[in-house]
Amino acid sequence: MKALAPKSWLRVLCVFLALAVTARAEFRGAWISAVHNLDWPSKQGLPAAQQKAELVRLLDSAKSLGLTDVFFQVRPEGDALYRSSLEPWSRFLSGTQGRDPGYDPLAFCIDEAGKRGIRVHAWFN
């Protein structure tokens, strides 16, 4: 078998890179809204374990539908669904603005989504 000339290798490399970029460009996503408990958690004040279980079910559903990305709402009303020194915890988690839910929902979402090959995009209002 004859070796490829240097210019041919460059062409082959460009084709592989183009295919890699094209394959990664596919994007199928959904929003997970926390404001007024539209999507998650189903209601305010649920225990952390139940909130986590609900989020896992949403991510499992996203995976089964072939989604590649989720937009996770992390600031519904000038509050936070992540550990912050600037914003209070969201009332949509605990029922009381500023009350720590006992875990970091954004970190949990990123970890669980990653296990399913799903990318997370933080959605700020």
Side-chain angles (χ1 to χ4, degrees), residues 1-3 5 8 14 20 22-23 28 32 38 43 56 63 77 80 84-85 101 114-115:
M1 180 175 240
K2 188 171 147 184
S8 296
C14 287
T22 301
R28 293 178 307 276
I32 298 176
L38 291 175
K43 63 182 180 180
V56 164
K63 177 69 175 175
E77 297 183 324
S84 171
S85 61
K115 292 175 185 177

Side-chain angles (χ1 to χ4, degrees), residues 17-70:
L17 289 175
L19 289 173
V21 169
T22 301
R24 193 65 180 155
E26 190 166 12
F27 188 99
R28 293 178 307 276
W31 285 262
I32 298 176
S33 177
V35 69
H36 301 292
N37 303 102
L38 291 175
D39 298 318
W40 175 87
S42 61
K43 63 182 180 180
Q44 296 178 16
L46 295 176
Q50 190 171 347
Q51 289 181 17
K52 288 178 178 183
E54 287 183 0
L55 188 51
V56 164
R57 280 194 296 276
L58 287 172
L59 294 170
D60 284 344
S61 179
K63 177 69 175 175
S64 72
L65 292 170
L67 301 184
T68 59
D69 299 75
V70 294

